[in-house]
Amino acid sequence: MSKLPRVGALFWAIKIVATTLGESVSNYVAITPMKLGYAAAVIIFFTAFALTLIMQLRADRFRPAVFWSVILMTSIVGTATSDFMNRTVGLGYTGGAAVLTSLLVIVLIGWRATGLTMDVERIDTTKGEIWYWTATLLSNTLGTSSGDFLSHSVGLGFRGSALVLSTAMLLILAAHYLTPISGTVLFWTAYVLTRPLGAVAENTVEKPVAQGGLGVGTTITSAVLLAVLVILVGYQMLTHRQQTLTLDTAAVRR
């Protein structure tokens, strides 16, 4: 059995909600109301990420609550790390996005060079999982930087950035059905873009009106997103037998 879920509408819905929640939770702890700062947030969240990842790697099959906990933690620690790099260290949104994009490209090329499958539905080895989670952590860290880059450096604002990213996702969906472009290439493109989409969507709702948001705040935003995530993951737990594939081990490693 694959330890990762099938890719479909439910997968993308949970991915977007989880990564959007990650942005909100990181802001809640690092900025307001807790105001612990980015460095402290990175340490706390990276520890939590490591613990959830160990649970995932030790799992014998797909366990929705564990899998999505790791996704959520990559988004939370990724947001805090990106903000620390860009604001505390001083790389800026453009510099941070450039560094993280380069790292993600290197990881994806390295993964491809190993000969291990990059089709997430068919990953069933620990090495494959490690590559997957490394790419996920980097893409979710990049998502915050790229979302801020579009909103602030390019000047699109939160709503404009959300519109651009939503359009890009629709184009990828159309390409999936209407073009012969590799499904794996389209998957990873969409997988990376869901993170900045979640970031700018969260900022649109959470940030004060003076900053271009709706002024809902991090507490209410986080609570609503958490409730939606629990409902979606709960549904997947009830239907998890239909959410994974039974794999031919030899075929996977080809």
Side-chain angles (χ1 to χ4, degrees):
M1 295 291 293
S2 171
K3 292 165 61 178
L4 306 182
R6 286 179 182 264
V7 177
L10 182 61
F11 174 91
W12 291 115
I14 301 178
K15 172 68 163 58
I16 292 172
V17 172
T19 53
T20 305
L21 175 60
E23 180 86 10
S24 185
V25 171
S26 179
N27 290 341
Y28 184 95
V29 173
I31 305 175
T32 182
M34 294 185 68
K35 300 180 181 179
L36 295 184
Y38 299 127
V42 169
I43 294 172
I44 293 169
F45 294 140
F46 191 84
T47 301
F49 160 67
L51 292 174
T52 57
L53 180 60
I54 290 171
M55 293 174 61
Q56 169 65 23
L57 294 176
R58 289 183 175 179
D60 59 348
R61 61 184 182 275
F62 173 57
R63 298 184 181 275
V66 176
F67 175 84
W68 291 111
S69 292
V70 188
I71 292 288
L72 176 59
M73 291 314 307
T74 61
S75 182
I76 298 174
V77 73
T79 299
T81 301
S82 174
D83 288 340
F84 178 77
M85 291 171 55
N86 299 344
R87 299 171 185 175
T88 303
V89 176
L91 289 180
Y93 301 133
T94 302
V99 169
L100 291 167
T101 298
S102 299
L103 290 174
L104 179 59
V105 170
I106 290 171
V107 166
L108 292 176
I109 291 175
W111 185 0
R112 177 69 175 175
T114 65
L116 294 170
T117 181
M118 297 180 73
D119 181 347
V120 295
E121 291 185 341
R122 297 185 174 279
I123 295 173
D124 76 337
T125 64
T126 300
K127 289 182 179 179
E129 271 200 275
I130 290 173
W131 280 106
Y132 171 78
W133 289 116
T134 301
T136 297
L137 179 60
L138 281 172
S139 69
N140 283 342
T141 305
L142 169 62
T144 297
S145 287
S146 55
D148 287 336
F149 172 76
L150 290 173
S151 299
H152 302 293
S153 299
V154 177
L156 294 179
F158 300 133
R159 297 175 190 178
S161 298
L163 179 60
V164 169
L165 292 167
S166 297
T167 300
M169 292 292 289
L170 290 175
L171 291 174
I172 293 171
L173 179 63
H176 173 69
Y177 289 105
L178 302 176
T179 74
I181 298 175
S182 166
T184 301
V185 171
L186 292 175
F187 169 85
W188 280 103
T189 303
Y191 194 78
V192 171
L193 288 180
T194 55
R195 182 60 188 91
L197 176 60
V200 296
E202 191 278 336
N203 286 330
T204 299
V205 175
E206 177 240 316
K207 294 297 184 183
V209 175
Q211 297 180 23
L214 298 178
V216 174
T218 53
T219 301
I220 295 177
T221 302
S222 296
V224 171
L225 288 169
L226 178 60
V228 174
L229 181 63
V230 169
I231 291 171
L232 291 175
V233 174
Y235 173 77
Q236 190 171 55
M237 290 175 69
L238 294 175
T239 61
H240 72 278
R241 292 180 183 277
Q242 289 77 45
Q243 299 297 328
T244 54
L245 295 174
T246 300
L247 304 176
D248 182 317
T249 302
V252 168
R253 292 187 173 85
R254 277 204 297 265

